[in-house]
Amino acid sequence: MRSRKQRILASPYYRNNQFQNLYPTTMMQANSMFSTLQRQFFGKEQRRPSKPLPSAWPGQSFHQTPPASGLRVTWLGHSTLLIEFAGITILTDPVWAKHLSPVQGIGPQRFQHAPIALEQLPAIDLVLLSHDHYDHLDKQTIRWLARGTMPFVTALGVGDHLEHWGVASSRIHELDWWEELHLAEFDLTIAAVPAQHFSGRGLKRNSTLWASWVVMSPNSRIYVGCDSGMFAGFQDIGQRYGPFDFATIEMAQYDVAWPGVHMQPEEALQAAEMLQARTMLPVHWGAYCLSLHAWDEPIERLLKAAEGSSIAILTPQLGQPVEPSQPAGLTTWWRD
C-alpha cells in the first residue's frame, strides 16, 4: 500500500510541489488589497446579527427515529451538518470553535454557540471533511471526535492533520479527485469530486487537497459541496453522477477581490442547476463573518435569484431538522 506522500506525488493534480485547480485560478484580484482594507475598516455592512439567532433543535432523542423519506438534514451553521442518509448519520466539516484561528482567543468569532453541543450529538457513523481551512477543520473538535470509532473520509493529505490530533490511521480514508470509496458496512459509496478552491493552515498553501463529495446509496445520491468558485467542473460532476436528490452548496463569504475561490449567491444557484440538483441547502453562512458583505445578504440574494427556479431552496433555522422531500415549516427566520 502506497504511503500518503507517494499518493500525493502520484496525483495528476499535484504539480510544482502543490495541488492545482483544474483551471487557472486567481486567488486575489490585482490592486484589490488597499480597497479590501478600506472596506474592512470603514464599510457600513452589518456583518454580525444584532441579536441571537433562533435555534430549533428538537433534542437528541429526536434523531433516534429515522427519517420517513430516508434523508434528513440538520444545519448547525456555516458548513457543519448532520446528514441522516440511508440509515446512517454523517457529520460534515465539524467546527465548534469560538474563534477561527491557530491561536485561541483571536480571529473571526462565532456569532453564538452552536445549536447542539458536542456532547449532545447523536451517534455519528461517518465524518466527512472537505479541506483543511480553519472554518472547516477544527483541531479541538477533531480531538473530541477522535475518541469515537467512526471512520473519517477526507481529501488527500488532510489525514496527516487527523493523525496528529489523535485519529487512528485505520479510521482515515483519503481520496483524490474522482476516486471512489465503497463502505461495505453502510452499503454506501463516496466519490471525491473537484472544487475550485485552495488549502492551507498558516502560510503554507495547497500541500493538501480540497474536495466536494458525492454520497451514493443503492436508491439515492446527494452532493456535499466544498468551498468553490464557479467552474465548468460542476457540469462534469452533474453529467457523471447527477441528478442529485439534494445538494449543499456554499454561497457566502464571497467578495469581488476573490471571485475565483468563492461563489456569489447567483453562481451557487447556477452550480445547483449544473449539478442537476432537485433541492439545495445554501451553507457557509450563519455562524462566522469571513468576508465584507452583510451577514444575511447571501441568503436574500439567493432567494431572489431562485424565483421561478425549479430547484427548491431549503432555509432551515439553525438546528432544525428538515427532510428535503418534505420541506415543511421553513421560513425567512433571519428577517426577524
Side-chain angles (χ1 to χ4, degrees):
M1 185 175 181
R2 291 187 297 178
S3 69
R4 177 180 296 116
K5 185 62 175 178
Q6 288 173 324
R7 291 188 62 205
I8 288 173
L9 293 174
S11 170
Y13 313 108
Y14 190 82
R15 302 184 300 276
N16 301 321
N17 297 315
Q18 61 179 354
F19 283 102
Q20 308 277 348
N21 281 309
L22 294 179
Y23 303 93
T25 307
T26 301
M27 296 295 174
M28 178 73 79
Q29 293 282 36
N31 303 319
S32 63
M33 184 63 71
F34 180 70
S35 172
T36 300
L37 288 173
Q38 277 188 315
R39 288 182 292 126
Q40 176 69 46
F41 292 105
F42 302 108
K44 303 300 183 182
E45 302 88 357
Q46 184 178 333
R47 297 173 190 162
R48 295 178 63 86
S50 59
K51 59 182 179 179
L53 302 178
S55 174
W57 188 49
Q60 194 174 30
S61 60
F62 174 85
H63 300 277
Q64 295 174 2
T65 301
S69 65
L71 173 62
R72 182 167 60 209
V73 184
T74 307
W75 178 52
L76 306 183
H78 208 62
S79 297
T80 304
L81 300 117
L82 286 173
I83 302 177
E84 296 165 90
F85 176 63
I88 72 167
T89 300
I90 303 169
L91 180 64
T92 73
D93 287 1
V95 175
W96 265 256
K98 183 178 180 181
H99 293 271
L100 301 176
S101 170
V103 180
Q104 291 187 1
I106 65 173
Q109 184 174 353
R110 195 176 187 111
F111 297 161
Q112 61 196 51
H113 292 300
I116 305 175
L118 276 170
E119 296 79 7
Q120 296 175 308
L121 283 173
I124 304 300
D125 299 298
L126 173 69
V127 178
L128 202 55
L129 302 168
S130 65
H131 64 301
D132 71 358
H133 282 159
Y134 292 100
D135 58 319
H136 295 264
L137 184 67
D138 174 31
K139 178 169 67 174
Q140 296 306 320
T141 301
I142 296 300
R143 282 179 168 171
W144 193 91
L145 293 168
R147 298 182 293 181
T149 60
M150 77 291 282
F152 288 68
V153 178
T154 189
L156 184 56
V158 179
D160 189 53
H161 295 302
L162 304 183
E163 289 180 4
H164 276 98
W165 299 338
V167 181
S169 59
S170 60
R171 296 168 58 193
I172 301 170
H173 304 276
E174 298 173 77
L175 301 184
D176 203 350
W177 289 341
W178 304 118
E179 286 186 342
E180 295 185 0
L181 170 71
H182 182 67
L183 297 171
E185 64 268 39
F186 304 134
D187 196 16
L188 210 65
T189 299
I190 300 177
V193 293
Q196 184 168 284
H197 199 54
F198 65 107
S199 68
R201 299 170 76 84
L203 298 178
K204 190 175 182 181
R205 283 191 173 180
N206 301 344
S207 62
T208 64
L209 190 61
W210 47 97
S212 295
W213 307 101
V214 175
V215 186
M216 298 171 281
S217 74
N219 302 312
S220 182
R221 55 188 57 196
I222 63 177
Y223 172 87
V224 181
C226 176
D227 292 359
S228 181
M230 169 52 66
F231 76 129
F234 290 118
Q235 195 82 41
D236 298 334
I237 297 165
Q239 290 175 352
R240 184 178 298 205
Y241 288 111
F244 294 101
D245 298 302
F246 168 75
T248 75
I249 301 178
E250 69 95 358
M251 55 102 215
Q253 318 313 327
Y254 50 79
D255 192 80
V256 294
W258 50 87
V261 293
H262 284 289
M263 287 185 286
Q264 303 277 328
E266 298 80 7
E267 291 176 317
L269 180 65
Q270 182 185 355
E273 294 168 348
M274 295 164 72
L275 289 165
Q276 303 176 51
R278 297 187 178 96
T279 58
M280 169 186 171
L281 176 63
V283 299
H284 215 233
W285 72 292
Y288 302 96
C289 173
L290 304 177
S291 187
L292 305 177
H293 55 65
W295 78 275
D296 56 350
E297 176 189 296
I299 188 63
E300 292 289 358
R301 285 178 55 180
L302 179 70
L303 291 184
K304 183 175 181 180
E307 292 175 0
S309 173
S310 62
I311 298 174
I313 308 298
L314 304 180
T315 59
Q317 294 181 40
L318 296 169
Q320 179 184 3
V322 59
E323 297 190 39
S325 65
Q326 306 167 14
L330 301 181
T331 65
T332 52
W333 54 267
W334 59 92
R335 293 176 183 169
D336 298 332

